[in-house]
């Protein structure tokens, strides 16, 4: 039901920044109970699609394609969920001793090794993001032998045993270095949107550290706050904005 209402919003059925019909009217139009409509609207609110205050009708926030904070681990899943054609090309996989900074990020022993993975991510045939991820060696080995064109590592990592429970996300802007410029086709020094992420298991043990560097005008992040929900969402940016 939430998907149906969202489709109507994205097609302009309620107008931009318009007001949704009442729960009773929506229930009648779709042949479902008001409880189903209420649950669907709660889901849309949690994802930043609509908002409301006590005693007022829900208002459409916009038609941006968003992805819930909890699912940001998978770029492929996000792209497919919104009708995009995801692509990937692994540029580097290397097992090596961890640096001091990497040992701190992943809480590793002094002689520990990591697996470094560098991947170019695409929407359609357009480069969008360069992904730099480090894993403890015991986890990174699971993806070391995957084909370079493998779209998603998430399923393989899940099958390997670790439980990806929590993530911290830090977002800033960084100047493109020579590695970024070569992979993304931009000039050195171009401002890139950077999402840094550390993911841990249920006991707080780090499983990966990733730096995703996005070309400007391709992807943006939004934060929706309410009294009950705080959600971070990613969306396809509009270059003309």
């Amino acid at each position: 039901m939430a998907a149906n209402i969202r489709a109507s919003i994205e097609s302009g059925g309620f107008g931009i920044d318009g007001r949704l019909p009442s729960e009773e009217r929506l229930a009648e139009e779709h042949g479902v109970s008001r409880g189903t409509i209420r649950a669907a609207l709660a889901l849309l609110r949690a994802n930043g699609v609509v908002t409301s205050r006590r005693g007022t009708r829900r208002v459409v926030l916009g038609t941006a394609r968003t992805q819930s904070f909890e699912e940001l681990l998978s770029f492929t899943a996000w792209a497919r969920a919104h009708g995009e054609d995801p692509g990937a090309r692994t540029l580097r996989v290397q097992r090596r001793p961890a640096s001091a900074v990497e040992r701190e990020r992943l809480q590793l022993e002094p002689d520990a090794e990591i697996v470094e993975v560098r991947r170019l991510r695409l929407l359609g045939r357009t480069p969008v993001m360069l992904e730099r991820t480090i894993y403890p060696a015991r986890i990174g080995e699971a993806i070391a032998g995957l084909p370079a064109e493998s779209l998603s590592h998430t399923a393989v990592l899940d099958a390997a045993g670790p439980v990806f429970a929590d993530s911290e996300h830090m977002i800033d802007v960084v100047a493109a270095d020579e590695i970024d410029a070569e992979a993304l086709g931009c000039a050195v020094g171009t401002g890139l949107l950077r999402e840094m992420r550390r993911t841990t298991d249920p006991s707080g043990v780090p499983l990966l550290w990733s730096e995703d560097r996005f070309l400007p005008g391709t992807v943006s992040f939004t934060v929706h706050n309410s009294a009950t929900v705080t959600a971070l969402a990613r969306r396809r940016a509009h270059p003309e904005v």
Side-chain angles (χ1 to χ4, degrees):
M1 192 67 259
N4 289 341
I5 296 174
R6 182 170 187 155
S8 295
I9 291 172
E10 292 183 343
S11 66
F14 303 114
I16 298 176
D17 294 329
R19 293 182 179 274
L20 293 178
S22 66
E23 291 179 0
E24 182 177 7
R25 180 178 168 187
L26 287 170
E28 291 176 355
E29 291 178 351
H30 293 278
V32 298
S33 69
R34 289 186 62 179
T36 297
I37 294 295
R38 191 173 297 115
L41 293 175
L43 180 59
L44 292 173
R45 178 178 178 179
N47 281 282
V49 179
V50 301
T51 189
S52 65
R53 292 179 296 177
R54 186 180 300 275
T56 64
R57 187 175 298 176
R58 289 171 180 82
V59 175
V60 176
L61 290 176
T63 59
R65 297 176 177 180
T66 62
Q67 178 71 8
S68 68
F69 175 75
E70 290 80 3
E71 297 174 359
L72 281 176
L73 180 62
S74 175
F75 179 89
T76 299
W78 167 76
R80 285 176 169 167
H82 298 291
E84 301 285 357
D85 181 20
R89 184 163 66 252
T90 300
L91 306 178
R92 177 188 181 97
V93 178
Q94 180 185 25
R95 178 167 176 157
R96 57 174 174 78
S99 68
V101 172
E102 292 165 342
R103 291 196 301 269
E104 180 181 359
R105 288 172 174 172
L106 295 179
Q107 298 178 9
L108 299 175
E109 297 297 325
D111 59 347
E113 293 188 326
I114 56 97
V115 173
E116 175 191 1
V117 179
R118 191 180 301 159
R119 286 201 298 165
L120 181 66
R121 310 308 296 269
L122 306 96
L123 292 177
R125 297 183 179 180
T126 304
V128 169
M129 177 260 285
L130 182 62
E131 177 185 283
R132 308 174 187 216
T133 307
I134 57 171
Y135 302 90
R138 61 186 174 82
I139 297 174
E141 287 176 346
I143 59 175
L146 290 177
E149 306 300 324
S150 178
L151 276 180
S152 179
H153 292 174
T154 304
V156 176
L157 290 171
D158 287 342
V163 177
F164 294 84
D166 298 286
S167 290
E168 292 179 338
H169 298 256
M170 293 159 281
I171 299 172
D172 64 4
V173 175
V174 64
D177 60 20
E178 292 182 354
I179 295 174
D180 299 320
E182 181 179 358
L184 295 170
C186 63
V188 173
T190 299
L192 303 177
L193 181 65
R194 178 172 66 172
E195 179 209 352
M196 295 176 286
R197 177 178 70 249
R198 184 170 72 170
T199 300
T200 61
D201 69 11
S203 64
V205 175
L207 302 176
L208 68 84
W209 172 277
S210 183
E211 286 193 21
D212 299 342
R213 300 186 178 195
F214 295 86
L215 281 170
T218 57
V219 172
S220 65
F221 293 84
T222 60
V223 177
H224 171 70
N225 293 317
S226 73
T228 57
V229 176
T230 299
L232 173 67
R234 171 171 53 198
R235 65 183 180 183
R236 185 72 184 271
H238 300 287
E240 66 273 10
V241 175

